[in-house]
Amino acid sequence: MATKVLVLGGGSGGLVAANKVKKLLGKEVEVTLVDRNAYHEFMPAYPWVAFGMREPEQVRRPLANLEKRGIQYLQATVEALDPAHNKVRTSAGELTYDYLIVSLGAEAMPSPAQDGYAPWSLEGALRLRQALKDFRGGRVVVGVSSPYYPCPPAPYEVAGQVEFALKVKGVREKSTVEVFHLNPAPLAGMGPVISGKVMEILRAKGIAFHGEFEPVAFEGGKVKAKDGRELAYDLLILTPPFAPNRVVRESPLAGPNGFPEVHKSTFRSPKFPNVFVIGDTVNPSLMLPPAGVVAHFQGEYVAGVIASDLKGAYIGEPFNPVAMCIMDFGDNALLPQCSFERLLAGTGMPSCGVMAVGKWVRVTKMLFEGFWFATLIE
């Protein structure tokens, strides 16, 4: 009888894990992926939708396509986890499993700014596109509402893209673009080399950066910081706050602060050894960045751990504790990379550097988009 592998979440980590388990074990496993959405969306392309480079249908594919790969897909909302009894309650009924991979991501909370735009979803991207269509110049402010949000480079990338979009619209000379962040410098956690290069690009584009800016209020077209500083805006782009996934933080998997506890070497739950948790659902508690590339590598790795359980041994892909992100600034691009191996081992800080910089790097991101769909869901 086939081993039942249940994957919760059709984002980067869940999609990779489901494909990899099926590829490694074939008919030995029955793989089911559950997601409330009908589509897998290439999230790095959301800003491209906001700035007119893509339409929604171009950045998503039906999760039902997984059926062609021998993976069952169920569109349902995950309501509760019962790992003690190998059960998951969903809006479509109760599911059982032999192995469970939880990749439900983080939970977006309401934005503290009612007049802000957040182009990190399809709906949010289309809202910002409409706002830009009507924008005739003015003060643009891009910032973060909390320390925890998916994709650390996101606000800097969008600031660069909106600056370029204003040039194309012919209103750049009538506009200012500013970025604020809780950190003292852009991507400060990635070290001075990457931070310095991002700052260099922002300065070259005439984008002002305001560090150690902790927002406490958004009112009257101004964002106010805890230390008394204020930034006035005509257009506000703001990352919403995020919290640990509700279903997970209310389950027996939850640990301190709502994030689940897992073994750093396997991402396996210490309480329930047939349960794995990957991606933004757990990474902040491991000091790993909430980024799709990390979830991707985790998905591949836990598939190998399950294969090891069932085969007796498996020495395929090791977990690659590396985060890289092609930062598209519109008319420039940067490819930073960080290795978190020493951080996970508790022996030091991340090792980071710049792999490439230049307009041509944008093309790499576009090529990867096509590769991603072709290898995982088409």
Side-chain angles (χ1 to χ4, degrees):
M1 188 173 179
T3 299
K4 297 170 70 173
V5 180
L6 183 61
V7 181
L8 305 181
S12 299
L15 189 68
V16 169
N19 273 277
K20 192 67 174 182
V21 167
K22 192 62 181 176
K23 181 179 180 181
L24 289 176
L25 296 167
K27 294 182 180 180
E28 294 181 47
V29 289
E30 176 187 297
V31 182
T32 301
L33 185 145
V34 180
D35 196 285
R36 64 185 179 185
N37 298 309
Y39 294 90
H40 168 78
E41 298 171 354
F42 186 68
M43 289 191 274
Y46 286 152
W48 289 347
V49 174
F51 296 108
M53 279 184 59
R54 294 285 190 276
E55 296 301 324
E57 294 305 315
Q58 294 177 289
V59 303
R60 64 186 187 180
R61 298 292 186 274
L63 282 165
N65 285 356
L66 292 173
E67 302 279 355
K68 296 183 289 187
R69 296 170 176 262
I71 299 167
Q72 298 178 37
Y73 159 63
L74 175 65
Q75 185 175 0
T77 299
V78 178
E79 297 176 341
L81 308 179
D82 182 7
H85 300 95
N86 294 344
K87 294 179 180 179
V88 172
R89 191 176 79 237
T90 78
S91 58
E94 190 174 80
L95 304 175
T96 61
Y97 59 83
D98 297 305
Y99 284 95
L100 177 68
I101 301 173
V102 181
S103 186
L104 290 169
E107 183 177 345
M109 308 300 287
S111 174
Q114 297 303 311
D115 57 348
Y117 294 86
W120 296 286
S121 68
L122 278 183
E123 180 182 3
L126 291 171
R127 284 189 67 241
L128 178 57
R129 183 195 286 191
Q130 184 60 47
L132 289 169
K133 184 177 180 180
D134 300 330
F135 193 70
R136 298 294 179 262
R139 299 161 298 187
V140 180
V141 172
V142 182
V144 301
S145 59
S146 69
Y148 173 46
Y149 60 93
C151 189
Y156 309 107
E157 186 178 44
V158 166
Q161 291 178 355
V162 75
E163 191 275 338
F164 182 50
L166 296 178
K167 284 182 182 176
V168 177
K169 286 175 67 69
V171 298
R172 179 65 179 96
E173 293 182 356
K174 297 190 294 182
S175 304
T176 59
V177 182
E178 301 176 270
V179 181
F180 71 83
H181 204 284
L182 295 160
N183 290 337
L187 298 177
M190 293 186 177
V193 174
I194 293 175
S195 182
K197 181 57 70 173
V198 173
M199 183 66 86
E200 178 184 318
I201 292 173
L202 294 179
R203 284 174 178 160
K205 294 170 72 65
I207 299 173
F209 174 77
H210 303 275
E212 297 180 304
F213 191 105
E214 183 179 349
V216 294
F218 299 85
E219 56 188 20
K222 294 181 179 179
V223 52
K224 300 180 181 180
K226 187 176 182 180
D227 61 10
R229 285 179 288 171
E230 293 184 349
L231 294 175
Y233 60 82
D234 299 298
L235 178 65
L236 175 67
I237 302 173
L238 187 72
T239 64
F242 281 78
N245 183 274
R246 181 193 60 79
V247 171
V248 176
R249 71 175 185 259
E250 294 178 357
S251 79
L253 298 178
N257 302 315
F259 290 105
E261 295 180 316
V262 298
H263 290 296
K264 291 183 178 181
S265 60
T266 60
F267 309 106
R268 192 194 294 261
S269 167
K271 299 178 186 176
F272 308 100
N274 63 335
V275 177
F276 299 83
V277 189
I278 62 175
D280 294 356
T281 310
V282 69
N283 284 341
S285 67
L286 300 175
M287 300 301 290
L288 290 171
V293 63
V294 179
H296 176 171
F297 291 143
Q298 288 173 320
E300 287 192 333
Y301 183 63
V302 299
V305 176
I306 294 173
S308 176
D309 280 0
L310 298 182
K311 290 174 177 284
Y314 176 76
I315 53 170
E317 299 81 0
F319 173 57
N320 187 12
V322 170
M324 62 189 77
C325 171
I326 299 172
M327 297 178 67
D328 176 10
F329 293 96
D331 51 359
N332 202 348
L334 174 69
L335 176 55
Q337 175 180 293
C338 281
S339 171
F340 293 86
E341 190 167 358
R342 290 184 298 189
L343 189 68
L344 278 175
T347 60
M349 296 299 291
S351 174
C352 303
V354 174
M355 297 179 67
V357 61
K359 298 177 182 179
W360 65 270
V361 180
R362 297 184 73 209
V363 179
T364 307
K365 189 168 189 172
M366 297 172 193
L367 292 173
F368 181 73
E369 176 190 31
F371 172 81
W372 180 264
F373 285 137
T375 56
L376 293 171
I377 199 167
E378 288 183 337

